[in-house]
Amino acid sequence: MSQEGNVTMEKIVSLCKRRGFVFQGSEIYGGLRGTWDLGPLGVLLNNNIKREWWKMFVESREDMYGLDAAILMNEKVWEASGHTGAGFSDPLVECEKCKRRFRADHLENKEVCSECGGKLGEERDFNLMFETKVGAQGDVKSYLRPETAQGIFVNFKNVVDSMSPKIPFGIAQIGKAFRNEIAPREFLFRVREFEQMEIEYFVKEEDWKEKFEALRADIQKWHAHIGLSSENIKEHEVPENDLAHYSKRTIDFEYNYPGKGFDELAGFAYRTDHDLKNHMEASGVSLEYVEPDGNKFIPHVLEPSFGVGRAFTAVLAEAYTEDEMGGETRTLLRLPAYLAPYRVAVSPLLKNKPELVEKARNAFSDLKKEFGNVAWDDNGNIGKRYRRQDEIGTPYCVTIDFDTIEKDDTVTVRDRDTGEQVRVAVGDLVNYFREKFNS
Ligand code: GAP
């Protein structure tokens, strides 16, 4: 696949709203900037992305362990990690006239407000963490985590003690992260509440370069797996003066977002022993790894970090297609079957013929039992159903018609991308799709 020339962010956002993928957060109250809600189809696509990631990076490997840590953590975690300091701040400027706030590093004109022409005030550091109070007295300060990574570092000893992993090994986690972004923008690209899929991969210091290259290749494979074409992905070596406070080397994997161009999709950092060392010093608990021969050391860390929302946007951008079929323009999402919200849609040709409906219901329930995400669609005429399923990326539509009940017990299976139709025996449907989906 590769992005079609006619795809724009506006078309993707409009499809997302119209077809139940993504809604503005708190929409009926005018929204809340930097928040979005996933609708019924968005949840399915999002879950499929996360499931495929987990399968590839955790289940299919022997050197990865899963974790699901709490979002609220002891405030000392964030002092030790460096997030309460300037390292996790963005430069903020405020217009003295209209009071609008901007990220200074995103401004072309550093002196004059782009909205009202007023004078911009002094630049200051703005910490991106959301602060909160824990407990009925409200006297315990905490933060909504700005990355899932720290939940992994503070559980390093628990995982080592309970699982006895051999180094090198990784701990993976998928979960929400929160950042009080100064300027949330561009749909799911920069938001205040988002999901991350992160791995902290623990290595001996002398092995980091070799393991860095191995993980880099795994990240490339992941992006190909979710359908992103190589011409839309670029690796950007982050220059030293731009590195995060914990990193010695970072590669940003950038995607060519429609109407925006190349920008960050995922990050891959060499975090050295920064986090484990700081947590060890601050907590007084040893976070050293002990080898069978008694040799002790603080492992170094490689961190592939993926934003689910950015992957979601890239997957949609890549899949979005407009073509002509039967003399009409149609919109379709060419999603791989394992990412599509529904893998199959089942319809009776006419919804007022009980014998067709009954047969279709049986096929639907067999397919649903086997594949889970299967849609029942009996709205409108068959042409409209096909268009609707094309637009949400359903790879196959099954139609039960009069030939099914009067002639040979076969159904029509229609292919989303080509529009081609074949007849398949009802009794063979589950096997037919099993083969399709496994190939
Ligand atoms: N633990 C490392 C870390 O959090 P990061 O580069 O700040 O590194 C990792 O974030 C990924 O999380 C990014 O590549 C991006 O995909 C996603 N991400 C970060 N901030 C985001 C935001 N405000 N909105 C949406 N996604 C975001």
Side-chain angles (χ1 to χ4, degrees):
M1 278 192 293
S2 100
Q3 229 179 71
E4 298 278 309
N6 49 9
V7 54
T8 64
M9 217 49 219
E10 289 71 28
K11 286 181 184 176
I12 291 173
V13 174
S14 151
L15 187 148
C16 280
K17 158 103 204 214
R18 195 171 66 248
R19 303 310 316 274
F21 282 85
V22 184
F23 308 126
Q24 192 188 358
S26 315
E27 189 176 343
I28 63 168
Y29 288 103
L32 177 67
R33 272 192 81 203
T35 66
W36 295 88
D37 297 338
L38 293 175
L41 298 192
V43 176
L44 294 174
L45 172 58
N46 211 57
N47 284 348
N48 290 347
I49 291 172
K50 291 189 288 183
R51 190 200 54 236
E52 289 301 311
W53 186 88
W54 196 261
K55 268 193 347 210
M56 180 180 274
F57 284 103
V58 185
E59 275 174 21
S60 71
R61 302 175 60 129
E62 285 179 39
D63 58 347
M64 292 282 187
Y65 298 82
L67 186 80
D68 192 353
I71 287 172
L72 297 175
M73 300 173 85
N74 191 307
E75 72 171 300
K76 289 182 186 147
V77 170
W78 306 107
E79 284 160 19
S81 67
H83 283 82
T84 49
F88 198 64
S89 298
D90 278 342
L92 174 110
V93 285
E94 187 174 292
C95 170
E96 290 177 358
K97 193 168 149 205
C98 71
K99 305 293 174 203
R100 278 196 182 86
R101 291 171 161 194
F102 304 93
R103 244 181 89 162
D105 55 336
H106 286 170
L107 291 178
E108 274 172 27
N109 186 332
K110 308 268 179 212
E111 281 160 27
V112 179
C113 173
S114 55
E115 299 292 323
C116 75
K119 185 170 173 299
L120 294 177
E122 286 277 297
E123 187 176 310
R124 66 182 169 90
D125 281 342
F126 176 76
N127 194 285
L128 298 183
M129 282 200 294
F130 282 104
E131 227 178 273
T132 188
K133 301 268 187 261
V134 177
Q137 307 288 343
D139 52 357
V140 178
K141 187 156 109 181
S142 187
Y143 300 93
L144 302 185
R145 66 180 178 203
E147 59 171 14
T148 63
Q150 296 305 323
I152 297 179
F153 293 124
V154 302
N155 277 291
F156 172 77
K157 184 173 157 42
N158 284 332
V159 174
V160 169
D161 290 349
S162 56
M163 306 303 291
S164 312
K166 276 207 200 74
I167 207 147
F169 67 93
I171 304 178
Q173 172 165 227
I174 300 179
K176 287 256 170 151
F178 303 82
R179 295 183 191 179
N180 197 3
E181 297 285 354
I182 295 169
R185 64 195 160 94
E186 290 158 324
F187 194 40
L188 306 178
F189 184 81
R190 192 171 301 288
V191 289
R192 290 181 169 139
E193 175 177 343
F194 55 100
E195 279 183 297
Q196 289 186 316
M197 308 183 281
E198 295 202 297
I199 294 165
E200 306 306 323
Y201 197 76
F202 301 96
V203 299
K204 290 183 178 174
E205 181 177 6
E206 61 269 28
D207 292 339
W208 83 264
K209 284 191 175 140
E210 181 201 331
K211 302 298 174 201
F212 191 94
E213 288 312 317
L215 280 171
R216 181 184 191 167
D218 294 335
I219 297 171
Q220 290 163 351
K221 270 189 219 145
W222 161 249
H223 288 142
H225 182 63
I226 57 173
L228 309 185
S229 53
S230 53
E231 73 254 34
N232 285 324
I233 301 267
K234 218 160 63 182
E235 291 182 25
H236 167 69
E237 185 80 43
V238 177
E240 219 167 293
N241 58 343
D242 258 356
L243 288 173
H245 63 281
Y246 48 73
S247 171
K248 212 160 171 182
R249 182 180 180 195
T250 294
I251 291 178
D252 281 346
F253 285 79
E254 298 187 335
Y255 183 73
N256 187 14
Y257 298 96
K260 175 175 170 67
F262 283 96
D263 210 332
E264 188 177 338
L265 170 65
F268 180 34
Y270 169 40
R271 284 180 91 124
T272 69
D273 58 356
H274 169 90
D275 301 87
L276 286 183
K277 201 161 91 194
N278 285 354
H279 285 308
M280 179 160 150
E281 271 169 30
S283 67
V285 174
S286 171
L287 299 178
E288 286 174 312
Y289 180 85
V290 187
E291 289 192 290
D293 65 3
N295 179 36
K296 281 185 190 174
F297 59 94
I298 301 179
H300 278 232
V301 171
L302 300 170
E303 182 194 61
S305 176
F306 306 81
V308 184
R310 290 194 193 175
F312 185 104
T313 312
V315 162
L316 285 178
E318 195 85 29
Y320 186 98
T321 311
E322 288 170 3
D323 68 5
E324 263 204 38
M325 190 171 273
E328 277 176 36
T329 303
R330 68 163 182 161
T331 301
L332 70 153
L333 294 180
R334 287 183 193 270
L335 294 169
Y338 44 84
L339 293 185
Y342 298 120
R343 289 178 168 204
V344 185
V346 180
S347 300
L349 183 66
L350 299 171
K351 72 172 174 190
N352 57 0
K353 295 280 175 224
E355 59 280 32
L356 289 182
V357 173
E358 191 192 337
K359 196 88 188 162
R361 275 271 158 207
N362 289 340
F364 170 67
S365 112
D366 288 349
L367 290 169
K368 198 159 175 61
K369 242 182 256 156
E370 179 72 19
F371 303 112
N373 295 337
V374 174
W376 172 262
D377 191 351
D378 61 5
N379 266 334
N381 66 37
I382 198 72
K384 284 209 176 108
R385 291 178 208 164
Y386 287 159
R387 294 292 172 276
R388 201 163 45 234
Q389 295 299 330
D390 289 345
E391 205 186 13
I392 62 171
T394 311
Y396 300 101
C397 288
V398 167
T399 306
I400 281 69
D401 55 25
F402 289 103
D403 277 1
T404 318
I405 46 176
E406 287 167 5
K407 236 164 102 186
D408 54 5
D409 221 21
T410 63
V411 298
T412 301
V413 176
R414 178 214 180 244
D415 180 290
R416 172 195 67 201
D417 297 343
T418 60
E420 270 170 24
Q421 304 190 3
V422 292
R423 301 286 303 182
V424 176
V426 176
D428 292 343
L429 267 181
V430 167
N431 267 338
Y432 176 83
F433 285 119
R434 235 188 241 143
E435 270 172 35
K436 286 265 177 212
F437 297 146
N438 286 339
S439 67

